[in-house]
Amino acid sequence: MGAEKINFYECYAKNEDLSTRDKNRIKKSYLLFNHKLLTLVDITLHGRKKIWLRIIQNPLEEYIMSLKQYHHTEFFLFIIAIIGSCTAIISTAQTQEQFNNIEITTISPVAQAHVKTIKPVKFEDSSLANLVAEQTDKTQKKNKRISVAQDKTQDAGSGKKVQAKDIKHALNPELIPVKTIGNKSEIEICSSLPLTGDGAQLGKQINDGMNLFFNTLKKKKDITRLVKLYVLDDQSDFIIGKTNLTKLIQQSPVVLNAYGTDVLLSKGKKLVEAKKMAAIFPIEGLDVLRKSTYSQMIYLRASHEDELRALVQHAITDLNHKKFAVFYEASDWGEAVLQSLKKILETHDLKLLAEGSYPQGTVNVSDAVSKISKASPNAVFCIAQSRAAYNFILKAIDAGMYKSIFLGLSNLLSIQQNIQKSLGIKLITSSVLPDPQKSALPLAKQYREDMKKYLPNRQLSPYSFEGYISALLFYEGIKSISPPFSIKKLISALEGVTNIQGLQLSFDQTTRTLGHRIWINDGSGKEWVLANQQESLEVPSENKMVK
């Protein structure tokens, strides 16, 4: 067989595309594995971000998994080259000839000058066999631990872990399971949230909020109805999220704060249609599932379209801006929100000056920055995940867009302060709920008191506030109905809620939504204000934007 050159595949084209966390990870791995890093045989089969994380987390195990997956038996070379000590370029060789004829190539000429080549390492057959046997055994044990961990759920009352074998099938999907403990009834419900992975910060905050409220019930002697919450970790993974729903509905058909657009559009939608699951207050903003036909789904939060409408109105009326561009995620979610934005702008006889996107699951924003900066907009809407949005704003400022303002949906609240502190740039965001830190609503005051009393080491956040309100609303619904506790009774009770400790709600049968109000957070540190197309709250001190 003739000599065959093996090209290197670049995970990230530029140093700037890496976060500090990623930089630290690769530096650590570079030292830990003594300049030898094992990785998958064919990295072109997977998304770049996924492979990057796998390389960093456990390269040795990925090598063994590649043997099993692709049925290769001989490997001579695994190289990692470091560009500026940050960017990884990976290559493999499967034959001795390939090993002898490796040529290092890079995509970026600029990067070429910074390449540090690690000397190739050849594994002897016997050593390799031992390595494979040893690591395969470790892999099997780890996979078993992971499987067990995924099957664990969290008891909100005690915080103890509950195995999936303890989850018993709900005999009737129309009824909510209830246990009698002494003179009290314990209603069982479920949730699936990202408690680990990229979405962990958000998922943990929602979980904190729900648990906070449900645990306060146990402190009250006069309460006769308690709530037991089972939570599964979806690990920020779409497949695990779908599996979680299948497991959880065997315990209870009620899923509170269901999370994940892809999970809801695929598995969640089918379960709701089949009336096997009631999705109570999903953490989701798209309009596609907000239809009257989904009778076992009810939303607390307003839609993304409502958020965009408020942001557009704020930019035009309060900031006097009309030259708009958009930075968005190239995904089903991003495209759907983009179309909503265009529809809203049409009502103002406006069009976007530029559109820039980034691939889902990456932070590759350079092309978007180039397109948008050339258009010189005075306002840019960010329809993106937090890390990508942060990278985009950072590079946009470097590209000279320091006079532009940036506006984002409520999911970008988590990076607002970091952008303000590190870049001195204000990111204006929308919110589907009032300010958890400064709102004068009795609901917000009670949340702050409970957080201080029971979770003093946790920060106040919009998502823990949303979890808290969701739990409170659920409890108010379950408290108002009589046994047997059915899904139909619960949904009907929730549809009738119009005020919860000062927070006004109004159920819209067409969109299955209770909350329609949007607050604007301008990043100044002042209390968030109610967007000007909404009527004022009944609490005098709750701010409202005025034209």
Side-chain angles (χ1 to χ4, degrees), residues 32 57-58 70 134 147 160-161 193 209 220 267 276 299 305 334-335 376 386 418 435 469 495 505 515 517:
L32 181 63
Q57 288 171 351
N58 199 332
Y70 300 112
E134 179 184 355
S147 177
K160 68 180 182 180
K161 296 294 183 179
L193 294 168
K220 302 175 182 179
K267 192 66 177 181
K276 293 182 179 180
Y299 291 85
E305 188 165 319
E335 294 286 350
S376 299
S386 56
N418 287 338
D435 190 341
I469 296 174
E495 291 174 354
L505 302 170
R517 299 180 168 201

Side-chain angles (χ1 to χ4, degrees), residues 11-12 15 18-37 51-53 55-57 59 79-90:
C11 286
Y12 287 97
N15 189 347
L18 294 179
S19 68
T20 301
R21 181 176 61 178
D22 286 336
K23 291 177 182 179
N24 290 335
R25 280 175 172 170
I26 190 162
K27 288 177 181 178
K28 180 178 179 181
S29 296
Y30 181 69
L31 296 173
L32 181 63
F33 290 92
N34 193 26
H35 302 189
K36 301 190 288 285
L37 194 60
I51 289 300
W52 173 261
L53 294 178
I55 290 167
I56 299 307
Q57 288 171 351
I79 296 178
I80 179 170
I82 309 298
I83 298 178
S85 298
C86 297
T87 304
I89 297 180
I90 306 102

Side-chain angles (χ1 to χ4, degrees), residues 324-330 334-335 338 341-342 352-359 364-373 375 377 380-384 388 392:
F324 298 133
V326 64
F327 168 66
Y328 69 99
E329 180 181 274
E335 294 286 350
L338 173 62
L341 175 60
K342 289 181 176 181
L352 292 165
L353 296 182
E355 300 175 20
S357 66
Y358 72 98
N364 299 330
V365 302
S366 298
D367 288 344
V369 171
S370 178
K371 290 179 181 178
I372 293 173
S373 62
V380 182
F381 294 96
C382 298
I383 303 169
F392 169 77

Side-chain angles (χ1 to χ4, degrees), residues 216-469:
T216 60
L217 295 178
K218 294 193 171 185
K219 308 295 182 181
K220 302 175 182 179
K221 296 181 180 180
D222 58 337
I223 296 296
T224 58
R225 293 181 183 178
L226 302 175
V227 179
K228 187 174 185 178
L229 175 67
Y230 296 91
V231 179
L232 281 178
D233 178 14
D234 69 18
Q235 300 178 40
S236 304
D237 186 281
F238 162 64
I239 302 300
I240 297 175
K242 293 202 303 181
T243 302
N244 283 355
L245 291 186
T246 302
K247 292 177 181 178
L248 289 172
I249 61 170
Q250 297 179 42
Q251 171 64 32
S252 172
V254 177
V255 179
L256 184 63
N257 287 161
Y259 180 86
T261 300
D262 293 337
V263 174
L264 287 169
L265 287 176
S266 54
K267 192 66 177 181
K269 175 183 175 181
K270 293 177 182 178
L271 292 174
V272 168
E273 288 176 333
K275 297 192 181 302
K276 293 182 179 180
M277 181 182 91
I280 309 299
F281 313 139
I283 309 298
E284 173 54 52
L286 291 182
D287 290 326
V288 65
L289 293 178
R290 294 173 183 250
K291 298 178 181 178
S292 59
T293 52
Y294 298 114
S295 60
Q296 290 199 177
M297 184 176 285
I298 183 169
Y299 291 85
L300 167 61
R301 55 168 40 221
S303 69
H304 286 328
E305 188 165 319
D306 290 328
E307 292 188 65
L308 287 171
R309 189 175 294 109
L311 287 171
V312 169
Q313 188 67 38
H314 175 58
I316 294 173
T317 304
D318 301 298
L319 303 177
N320 197 29
H321 289 322
K322 293 185 178 181
K323 295 172 62 178
F324 298 133
V326 64
F327 168 66
Y328 69 99
E329 180 181 274
S331 65
D332 290 343
W333 172 78
E335 294 286 350
V337 182
L338 173 62
Q339 295 308 313
S340 293
L341 175 60
K342 289 181 176 181
K343 182 173 70 173
I344 293 166
L345 289 176
E346 285 178 3
T347 65
H348 296 275
D349 295 322
L350 295 172
K351 291 185 177 181
L352 292 165
L353 296 182
E355 300 175 20
S357 66
Y358 72 98
Q360 182 181 14
T362 75
V363 290
N364 299 330
V365 302
S366 298
D367 288 344
V369 171
S370 178
K371 290 179 181 178
I372 293 173
S373 62
K374 290 177 182 177
S376 299
N378 47 33
V380 182
F381 294 96
C382 298
I383 303 169
Q385 304 307 317
S386 56
R387 285 185 63 199
Y390 186 93
N391 252 32
F392 169 77
I393 295 174
L394 175 65
K395 291 190 175 184
I397 298 304
D398 290 341
M401 294 180 62
Y402 50 86
K403 291 184 179 180
S404 299
I405 65 167
F406 301 90
L407 305 101
L409 298 173
S410 54
N411 67 309
L412 298 186
L413 281 165
S414 61
I415 64 170
Q416 188 181 49
Q417 289 186 353
N418 287 338
I419 287 177
Q420 173 73 29
K421 291 179 181 178
S422 62
L423 305 179
I425 299 297
K426 285 186 179 180
L427 169 64
I428 299 170
T429 62
S430 52
S431 176
V432 296
L433 293 170
D435 190 341
Q437 299 191 48
K438 298 181 180 179
S439 172
L441 289 175
L443 176 61
K445 290 180 178 179
Q446 187 62 56
Y447 160 75
R448 291 194 291 267
E449 289 177 9
D450 287 344
M451 285 288 288
K452 184 177 181 179
K453 184 175 181 180
Y454 298 109
L455 295 175
N457 296 323
R458 299 282 204 280
Q459 291 185 344
L460 302 176
S461 78
Y463 284 105
S464 64
F465 191 29
E466 185 169 358
Y468 183 87
I469 296 174

Side-chain angles (χ1 to χ4, degrees), residues 45-213:
L45 296 180
H46 302 274
R48 288 182 172 183
K49 180 180 180 183
K50 185 175 182 181
I51 289 300
W52 173 261
L53 294 178
R54 284 185 176 183
I55 290 167
I56 299 307
Q57 288 171 351
N58 199 332
L60 187 59
E61 182 174 312
E62 287 300 321
Y63 163 62
I64 302 304
M65 294 301 290
S66 69
L67 286 180
K68 297 172 64 178
Q69 185 172 356
Y70 300 112
H71 308 292
H72 292 298
T73 57
E74 284 187 290
F75 292 88
F76 290 90
L77 175 69
F78 289 84
I79 296 178
I80 179 170
I82 309 298
I83 298 178
S85 298
C86 297
T87 304
I89 297 180
I90 306 102
S91 178
T92 64
Q94 296 172 234
T95 68
Q96 183 67 54
E97 285 183 308
Q98 290 175 352
F99 177 83
N100 293 333
N101 291 280
I102 286 289
E103 285 192 7
I104 297 174
T105 60
T106 59
I107 295 173
S108 170
V110 177
Q112 179 68 53
H114 301 287
V115 171
K116 297 179 182 178
T117 307
I118 309 305
K119 184 179 179 181
V121 177
K122 180 180 178 181
F123 294 101
E124 298 297 333
D125 291 347
S126 58
S127 300
L128 186 59
N130 293 335
L131 181 66
V132 170
E134 179 184 355
Q135 190 61 29
T136 300
D137 182 59
K138 291 182 180 179
T139 300
Q140 290 174 347
K141 291 179 179 179
K142 181 177 179 181
N143 289 342
K144 185 176 180 180
R145 291 196 302 271
I146 292 174
S147 177
V148 171
Q150 290 176 3
D151 287 343
K152 290 181 179 179
T153 60
Q154 187 176 47
D155 181 344
S158 63
K160 68 180 182 180
K161 296 294 183 179
V162 182
Q163 298 292 338
K165 65 182 181 181
D166 297 326
I167 298 180
K168 297 180 174 58
H169 180 66
L171 298 178
N172 188 344
E174 296 179 0
L175 297 178
I176 306 170
V178 181
K179 289 182 180 179
T180 302
I181 303 176
N183 64 340
K184 297 184 178 182
S185 300
E186 190 173 59
I187 292 86
E188 297 182 342
I189 64 173
C190 306
S191 188
S192 178
L193 294 168
L195 302 179
T196 56
D198 289 343
Q201 182 181 14
L202 183 152
K204 288 178 179 179
Q205 289 174 358
I206 296 170
N207 193 41
D208 282 345
M210 291 191 295
N211 284 330
L212 174 64
F213 178 78

Side-chain angles (χ1 to χ4, degrees), residues 496-546:
V497 178
T498 58
N499 188 295
I500 188 76
Q501 295 186 25
L503 180 64
Q504 291 185 5
L505 302 170
S506 176
F507 181 68
D508 184 334
Q509 175 62 38
T510 305
T511 61
R512 306 291 306 162
T513 305
L514 278 169
H516 308 280
R517 299 180 168 201
I518 303 297
W519 284 258
I520 299 295
N521 176 4
D522 66 2
S524 66
K526 296 179 181 179
E527 183 182 346
W528 307 348
V529 289
L530 188 63
N532 58 9
Q533 78 273 27
Q534 308 288 350
E535 71 277 13
S536 176
L537 289 177
E538 293 180 354
V539 178
S541 58
E542 188 74 17
N543 292 337
K544 180 179 184 290
M545 283 189 171
V546 181

